Amino acid sequence: MPHLELQKTEDTKNTQTTIVIVEDDNSIGLFLTLAFSEETPYRSILVPTAERALKVIESVKPDLFILDYQLPEMDGLRLCHELRMQQDFCETPIILMSANLPHGEFAQLKVIGVAKPFDLDELLDTVNQLLDQ
């Protein structure tokens, strides 16, 4: 099944809150995009790699990132560092997800860690809280 990328419509392009989900496991990524489309007013964009995410943010300014930690080539923690070095994303909320979360750099990077498997309601509550700030 193909990844969902940059699904824009003219009426939501500039007004809808956008979440970029960087997840290489297509079933988890599609589950998250479906959950956001059915349970929230947010638009989600699913990309499979950190490199692709860096290309997407050249044309889209997301309001929140959800990153898998164990991504191919560039892991989610390295992507967090890359995002924090960009002025547009130094304060954008980031959720880092993994069954094996690293410890130590979360506070410094202003990142929320979420363990997999995750409770969907708790994740949605966390996203809502971060976007309401």
Side-chain angles (χ1 to χ4, degrees):
M1 189 169 271
H3 285 281
L4 307 174
E5 290 189 53
L6 297 177
Q7 293 181 331
K8 289 186 189 179
T9 58
E10 288 305 312
D11 60 334
T12 61
K13 161 166 81 168
N14 294 318
T15 59
Q16 195 170 16
T17 299
T18 302
I19 300 169
V20 167
I21 301 168
V22 186
E23 173 61 68
D24 62 324
D25 182 322
N26 208 31
S27 61
I28 294 172
L30 291 174
F31 171 75
L32 288 170
T33 57
L34 182 64
F36 284 115
S37 71
E38 290 186 356
E39 301 290 331
T40 74
Y42 313 133
R43 173 178 71 141
S44 60
I45 299 170
L46 174 61
V47 293
T49 66
E51 292 81 5
R52 192 77 82 41
L54 291 171
K55 289 299 261 181
V56 166
I57 64 172
E58 291 175 6
S59 60
V60 174
K61 186 174 185 306
D63 301 283
L64 181 134
F65 292 93
I66 297 177
L67 312 177
D68 182 23
Y69 172 62
Q70 296 180 310
L71 294 168
E73 298 174 37
M74 180 191 304
D75 70 30
L77 194 57
R78 180 72 196 135
L79 179 55
C80 287
H81 284 283
E82 293 288 327
L83 293 170
R84 291 298 184 231
M85 289 190 300
Q86 296 187 32
Q87 184 174 4
D88 285 345
F89 304 111
C90 61
E91 296 295 326
T92 303
I94 298 174
I95 297 174
L96 187 65
M97 300 176 65
S98 179
N100 303 305
L101 284 172
H103 298 286
E105 297 187 57
F106 285 13
Q108 175 187 347
L109 290 170
K110 299 181 224 163
V111 172
I112 306 275
V114 173
K116 288 180 182 177
F118 55 88
D119 179 279
L120 180 60
D121 290 331
E122 288 178 18
L123 178 63
L124 292 174
D125 287 346
T126 299
V127 167
N128 285 326
Q129 289 171 11
L130 289 169
L131 291 172
D132 284 343
Q133 293 179 356

